PDB file of all heavy atoms in Angstrom:
ATOM      1  N   ILE N 141       7.896 -10.410 -28.544  1.00 94.00           N
ATOM      2  CA  ILE N 141       6.800 -10.192 -27.591  1.00 94.00           C
ATOM      3  C   ILE N 141       6.898 -11.217 -26.468  1.00 94.00           C
ATOM      4  O   ILE N 141       6.669 -12.405 -26.667  1.00 94.00           O
ATOM      5  CB  ILE N 141       5.438 -10.317 -28.299  1.00 94.00           C
ATOM      6  CG1 ILE N 141       5.339  -9.287 -29.420  1.00 94.00           C
ATOM      7  CG2 ILE N 141       4.301 -10.137 -27.295  1.00 94.00           C
ATOM      8  CD1 ILE N 141       4.134  -9.482 -30.320  1.00 94.00           C
ATOM      9  N   ASP N 173      -6.203 -19.047 -18.808  1.00 87.00           N
ATOM     10  CA  ASP N 173      -6.009 -19.091 -20.262  1.00 87.00           C
ATOM     11  C   ASP N 173      -6.844 -18.063 -21.012  1.00 87.00           C
ATOM     12  O   ASP N 173      -6.368 -17.427 -21.960  1.00 87.00           O
ATOM     13  CB  ASP N 173      -6.344 -20.489 -20.788  1.00 87.00           C
ATOM     14  CG  ASP N 173      -5.312 -21.520 -20.366  1.00 87.00           C
ATOM     15  OD1 ASP N 173      -4.182 -21.123 -20.025  1.00 87.00           O
ATOM     16  OD2 ASP N 173      -5.638 -22.718 -20.369  1.00 87.00           O
ATOM     17  N   LEU N 180      -3.016 -11.178 -25.031  1.00 91.00           N
ATOM     18  CA  LEU N 180      -2.162 -11.459 -26.176  1.00 91.00           C
ATOM     19  C   LEU N 180      -2.796 -11.028 -27.490  1.00 91.00           C
ATOM     20  O   LEU N 180      -2.129 -10.442 -28.349  1.00 91.00           O
ATOM     21  CB  LEU N 180      -1.850 -12.950 -26.224  1.00 91.00           C
ATOM     22  CG  LEU N 180      -0.991 -13.407 -27.407  1.00 91.00           C
ATOM     23  CD1 LEU N 180       0.363 -12.719 -27.377  1.00 91.00           C
ATOM     24  CD2 LEU N 180      -0.832 -14.916 -27.392  1.00 91.00           C
ATOM     25  N   LEU N 184      -1.087  -8.693 -30.452  1.00 93.00           N
ATOM     26  CA  LEU N 184      -0.814  -9.171 -31.809  1.00 93.00           C
ATOM     27  C   LEU N 184      -1.586  -8.399 -32.874  1.00 93.00           C
ATOM     28  O   LEU N 184      -1.276  -8.493 -34.061  1.00 93.00           O
ATOM     29  CB  LEU N 184      -1.137 -10.666 -31.922  1.00 93.00           C
ATOM     30  CG  LEU N 184      -0.277 -11.618 -31.086  1.00 93.00           C
ATOM     31  CD1 LEU N 184      -0.673 -13.063 -31.354  1.00 93.00           C
ATOM     32  CD2 LEU N 184       1.205 -11.404 -31.352  1.00 93.00           C
ATOM     33  N   ARG N 200       1.727 -22.190 -23.245  1.00 83.00           N
ATOM     34  CA  ARG N 200       2.339 -23.042 -22.220  1.00 83.00           C
ATOM     35  C   ARG N 200       1.527 -24.308 -21.947  1.00 83.00           C
ATOM     36  O   ARG N 200       1.937 -25.142 -21.153  1.00 83.00           O
ATOM     37  CB  ARG N 200       2.509 -22.252 -20.922  1.00 83.00           C
ATOM     38  CG  ARG N 200       3.487 -21.097 -21.065  1.00 83.00           C
ATOM     39  CD  ARG N 200       3.820 -20.488 -19.744  1.00 83.00           C
ATOM     40  NE  ARG N 200       4.787 -19.424 -19.868  1.00 83.00           N
ATOM     41  CZ  ARG N 200       5.390 -18.831 -18.857  1.00 83.00           C
ATOM     42  NH1 ARG N 200       5.129 -19.234 -17.624  1.00 83.00           N
ATOM     43  NH2 ARG N 200       6.248 -17.858 -19.049  1.00 83.00           N
ATOM     44  N   ILE N 211      -6.107 -17.454 -33.508  1.00 93.00           N
ATOM     45  CA  ILE N 211      -5.713 -16.050 -33.681  1.00 93.00           C
ATOM     46  C   ILE N 211      -4.781 -15.878 -34.873  1.00 93.00           C
ATOM     47  O   ILE N 211      -4.988 -15.010 -35.721  1.00 93.00           O
ATOM     48  CB  ILE N 211      -4.999 -15.520 -32.411  1.00 93.00           C
ATOM     49  CG1 ILE N 211      -5.895 -15.654 -31.185  1.00 93.00           C
ATOM     50  CG2 ILE N 211      -4.586 -14.058 -32.598  1.00 93.00           C
ATOM     51  CD1 ILE N 211      -5.202 -15.289 -29.882  1.00 93.00           C
ATOM     52  N   SER N 220      13.963 -23.958 -26.423  1.00 94.00           N
ATOM     53  CA  SER N 220      15.258 -23.698 -25.801  1.00 94.00           C
ATOM     54  C   SER N 220      15.436 -24.612 -24.596  1.00 94.00           C
ATOM     55  O   SER N 220      14.689 -24.522 -23.620  1.00 94.00           O
ATOM     56  CB  SER N 220      15.334 -22.225 -25.372  1.00 94.00           C
ATOM     57  OG  SER N 220      16.537 -21.945 -24.701  1.00 94.00           O
ATOM     58  N   HIS N 233      22.071 -15.358 -10.098  1.00 73.00           N
ATOM     59  CA  HIS N 233      22.860 -14.241 -10.616  1.00 73.00           C
ATOM     60  C   HIS N 233      22.045 -13.243 -11.446  1.00 73.00           C
ATOM     61  O   HIS N 233      22.617 -12.321 -12.018  1.00 73.00           O
ATOM     62  CB  HIS N 233      24.030 -14.777 -11.445  1.00 73.00           C
ATOM     63  CG  HIS N 233      25.032 -15.550 -10.645  1.00 73.00           C
ATOM     64  ND1 HIS N 233      24.950 -16.912 -10.478  1.00 73.00           N
ATOM     65  CD2 HIS N 233      26.113 -15.160  -9.934  1.00 73.00           C
ATOM     66  CE1 HIS N 233      25.938 -17.329  -9.722  1.00 73.00           C
ATOM     67  NE2 HIS N 233      26.658 -16.298  -9.366  1.00 73.00           N
ATOM     68  N   GLU N 269      14.362 -19.485  -5.458  1.00 73.00           N
ATOM     69  CA  GLU N 269      14.482 -20.876  -5.891  1.00 73.00           C
ATOM     70  C   GLU N 269      13.184 -21.651  -5.719  1.00 73.00           C
ATOM     71  O   GLU N 269      12.814 -22.460  -6.581  1.00 73.00           O
ATOM     72  CB  GLU N 269      15.605 -21.577  -5.125  1.00 73.00           C
ATOM     73  CG  GLU N 269      15.900 -22.974  -5.640  1.00 73.00           C
ATOM     74  CD  GLU N 269      17.149 -23.577  -5.035  1.00 73.00           C
ATOM     75  OE1 GLU N 269      18.071 -22.801  -4.677  1.00 73.00           O
ATOM     76  OE2 GLU N 269      17.215 -24.817  -4.940  1.00 73.00           O
ATOM     77  N   LYS N 277       8.225 -27.138 -12.578  1.00 85.00           N
ATOM     78  CA  LYS N 277       7.296 -28.270 -12.478  1.00 85.00           C
ATOM     79  C   LYS N 277       6.039 -28.003 -13.311  1.00 85.00           C
ATOM     80  O   LYS N 277       5.566 -28.874 -14.051  1.00 85.00           O
ATOM     81  CB  LYS N 277       6.920 -28.510 -11.022  1.00 85.00           C
ATOM     82  CG  LYS N 277       6.016 -29.722 -10.785  1.00 85.00           C
ATOM     83  CD  LYS N 277       5.796 -29.933  -9.289  1.00 85.00           C
ATOM     84  CE  LYS N 277       4.967 -31.206  -9.031  1.00 85.00           C
ATOM     85  NZ  LYS N 277       3.587 -31.079  -9.509  1.00 85.00           N
ATOM     86  N   GLU N 302      22.931 -23.556 -23.625  1.00 87.00           N
ATOM     87  CA  GLU N 302      23.839 -23.471 -22.476  1.00 87.00           C
ATOM     88  C   GLU N 302      25.237 -22.977 -22.846  1.00 87.00           C
ATOM     89  O   GLU N 302      26.024 -22.640 -21.971  1.00 87.00           O
ATOM     90  CB  GLU N 302      23.944 -24.841 -21.793  1.00 87.00           C
ATOM     91  CG  GLU N 302      22.639 -25.316 -21.195  1.00 87.00           C
ATOM     92  CD  GLU N 302      22.844 -26.303 -20.056  1.00 87.00           C
ATOM     93  OE1 GLU N 302      23.790 -26.141 -19.278  1.00 87.00           O
ATOM     94  OE2 GLU N 302      22.033 -27.228 -19.945  1.00 87.00           O
ATOM     95  N   ALA N 310      23.838 -18.964 -34.077  1.00 95.00           N
ATOM     96  CA  ALA N 310      24.242 -19.377 -35.424  1.00 95.00           C
ATOM     97  C   ALA N 310      23.675 -20.766 -35.744  1.00 95.00           C
ATOM     98  O   ALA N 310      23.194 -21.018 -36.857  1.00 95.00           O
ATOM     99  CB  ALA N 310      25.763 -19.374 -35.543  1.00 95.00           C
TER     100      ALA N 310
END
Side-chain angles (χ1 to χ4, degrees):
I141 301 170
D173 290 339
L180 178 61
L184 295 183
R200 295 190 178 189
I211 302 174
S220 177
H233 295 91
E269 187 171 331
K277 183 175 184 293
E302 296 205 37

